[in-house]
Amino acid sequence: MANSERPRSPRPLSPHLQVYSWQVQMVTSILHRGTGIVLVLGSLLLACGLMSLAAGPEQWSSFSGFARSPLGFLVLFGWSWSLAFHLVNGIRHLLQDAGLGFSIDSFVRNSWISVFGSLVLTALVWVVAMTQWGGA
C-alpha cells in the first residue's frame, strides 16, 4: 500500500509535548539546557566587565553603573540563579550517571531538590554579597 492510500491517523506518530502532562522532571531537563545557554551569554557579559575594568576607571564606572541599575541587578540575579541551578542539577545528573536515584520517587524528589536548592543557594550568595560589600 502506498503512502497516499494509507488512512491518516488523527493522533501524532510519536509522543510530543501535547501528549505528556508537565512534570518536574521535564521542567528541570528543559531548564538545564536553558540555563546552559544563559551561562554562555552571562559569561560574555562577565568578559565585557573584565575588559572594562582593564580599560580604565571611566569604562569601569560605566559598566558598574549598569550592574547597579535595576536591569543590571535582574541580569546578574538571573545569571547567578542559572549558575546555581546548572550546578545543583549537574550534580544530580552526575549521581544518576553513577547509578543512583533512578526510581521514580527519587527522580521526582531530586528534581525538586534541584529547583529549591538552586533558589536557596542563590539567596545565600546574594545575602552574603550584599552584606559584605555594603549593598544591604
Side-chain angles (χ1 to χ4, degrees), residues 2-134:
N3 256 352
S4 61
E5 298 172 16
R6 195 176 312 164
R8 297 199 39 93
S9 173
R11 59 191 177 104
L13 297 177
S14 62
H16 200 267
L17 291 177
Q18 293 90 354
V19 176
Y20 293 118
S21 61
W22 283 87
Q23 298 175 356
V24 68
Q25 307 92 300
M26 181 188 302
V27 173
T28 56
S29 177
I30 293 168
L31 279 177
H32 192 75
R33 289 164 175 81
T35 55
I37 294 168
V38 169
L39 289 176
V40 168
L41 298 174
S43 296
L44 293 173
L45 183 63
L46 181 64
C48 287
L50 291 173
M51 289 190 312
S52 70
L53 182 61
E58 186 176 314
Q59 287 82 0
W60 173 248
S61 176
S62 176
F63 181 83
S64 66
F66 167 74
R68 292 177 186 268
S69 72
L71 177 62
F73 177 80
L74 183 65
V75 168
L76 288 172
F77 188 84
W79 185 75
S80 62
W81 175 79
S82 294
L83 180 62
F85 180 81
H86 207 76
L87 172 71
V88 174
N89 202 47
I91 292 170
R92 179 178 71 89
H93 277 281
L94 284 174
L95 292 173
Q96 286 178 336
D97 289 345
L100 303 171
F102 275 114
S103 71
I104 293 175
D105 292 339
S106 309
F107 205 83
V108 171
R109 182 187 64 243
N110 294 340
S111 294
W112 282 113
I113 289 171
S114 293
V115 172
F116 290 116
S118 66
L119 293 171
V120 168
L121 184 59
T122 303
L124 284 173
V125 166
W126 277 90
V127 164
V128 168
M130 298 288 268
T131 56
Q132 290 295 318
W133 291 295

